[in-house]
Amino acid sequence: MRSGDAGCRTARSLETRREFVRDACCGFGGLALASLLHDEQLRAGTGKPLSAKPPHLPAKAKSVIFLFMAGGPSHIETFDPKPLLNKLDGQPRPKEFGEAKYQFIQNDARLLGTRRTFRQYGESGIEVSDLFPQVGSCIDDIAVLRSCYGDMVVHSAAQYELFSGRIVPGYPSMGSWVLYGLGAESRSLPAYVVMPDPRGALEAGQPMYTQGFLPAIYQPAMFRPGDRPVLNLDLPSNVDPRQRQQNMEVDSRAERIDPRPG
């Protein structure tokens, strides 16, 4: 209780920390706490890291789908013709190429060109092999990158580099970076989904897909084959669904009464 003359609190027992902060120093403690909380909110940002971000450029992407087809056709037989390689087919590697310190490469190994034929398609004139004539008919709608290269021939290290830009695990994958940069329009559906090969993981394993040093909210939702594509959605066998529903209702009521920690 407060005195009408002095406006200060008389001695009494305080039940909660909030009452103590509110009444300390004739109420100035509450003013100090409000100022601190305001500064904390400014540092915390929006509190919704998955909110859709405004685009930096006029172009907008509705979705990003990346197909990593390990064991697929070689780039030199699809969209990346190598005329010099075909010219040197069957010959030893020229000394100008440098030493090839690769696994399973013999000193007397000879170069192998491709048996595919290429022709230019569309207004862009991009060369496409005879494996994909239908793709060639719409090549003007496709961006073909021929400037990418790898620093490692070991499968796992090369896969880390492709997905994260580094040859060692622990860095965010491109999917996590896309989610971090663009955000998501839906809060009820996963924004980053990974569907691994049903026959088993690749050499590099899950570090290829994960968020690395980014917060866990940017990690992918793994969709597996079978009748349970997403794990850990079912209740434990010893938990009754009705009891679980009652617990959720109690927690919801408690949050509505006082959402802040005591």
Side-chain angles (χ1 to χ4, degrees), residues 196-207:
D197 192 330
R199 294 170 296 180
L202 299 171
E203 290 85 353
Q206 285 195 348

Side-chain angles (χ1 to χ4, degrees), residues 234-244 247:
D234 298 333
L235 290 174
S237 58
N238 60 340
V239 176
D240 183 72
R242 292 174 296 182
Q243 179 184 359
R244 174 60 175 165
N247 293 340

Side-chain angles (χ1 to χ4, degrees), residues 249-261:
E249 293 176 354
V250 171
D251 294 340
S252 179
R253 287 196 299 269
E255 185 176 356
R256 287 196 300 269
I257 294 174
D258 190 356
R260 299 170 298 177

Side-chain angles (χ1 to χ4, degrees), residues 47-129:
K48 298 180 180 179
L50 291 183
S51 299
K53 310 295 193 307
H56 296 283
L57 299 173
K60 296 181 180 179
K62 295 182 178 179
S63 60
V64 178
I65 302 175
F66 179 69
L67 304 178
F68 180 59
M69 297 176 288
S74 169
H75 62 103
I76 67 173
E77 296 181 336
T78 53
F79 304 100
D80 194 10
K82 301 292 184 183
L84 180 58
L85 179 61
N86 290 336
K87 183 179 179 180
L88 298 176
D89 180 51
Q91 302 180 28
R93 184 183 66 258
K95 295 181 179 180
E96 295 79 4
F97 285 16
E99 185 178 2
K101 296 182 179 180
Y102 299 153
Q103 292 176 318
F104 313 116
I105 300 297
Q106 304 298 327
N107 294 330
D108 58 348
R110 298 180 180 273
L111 299 177
L112 177 63
T114 179
R115 299 297 183 265
R116 312 312 312 185
T117 59
F118 288 77
R119 56 166 290 194
Q120 293 180 325
Y121 287 87
E123 296 181 3
S124 58
I126 296 178
E127 294 177 293
V128 182
S129 80

Side-chain angles (χ1 to χ4, degrees), residues 12 24 27 52 71 80 87 111 129 143 145 158-159 164 186 189 197 207 214 222 224 232 234 240 253-254:
R12 68 179 180 87
D80 194 10
K87 183 179 179 180
L111 299 177
S129 80
L145 302 180
Q159 290 167 5
S164 68
S186 174
L189 295 174
D197 192 330
L214 290 177
M222 303 294 293
R224 296 166 173 80
N232 304 319
D234 298 333
D240 183 72
R253 287 196 299 269

Side-chain angles (χ1 to χ4, degrees), residues 136-208:
S137 64
C138 58
I139 197 63
D140 286 337
D141 299 324
I142 302 175
V144 179
L145 302 180
R146 292 173 176 164
S147 58
C148 300
Y149 65 92
D151 298 319
M152 296 290 291
V153 297
V154 178
H155 286 80
S156 57
Q159 290 167 5
Y160 291 140
E161 186 174 18
L162 177 62
F163 278 78
S164 68
R166 303 291 191 275
I167 62 174
V168 294
Y171 290 85
S173 66
M174 67 174 72
S176 295
W177 278 126
V178 169
L179 179 58
Y180 175 84
L182 297 182
E185 295 183 354
S186 174
R187 299 180 59 185
S188 58
L189 295 174
Y192 175 27
V193 173
V194 170
M195 294 184 290
D197 192 330
R199 294 170 296 180
L202 299 171
E203 290 85 353
Q206 285 195 348
M208 292 191 300

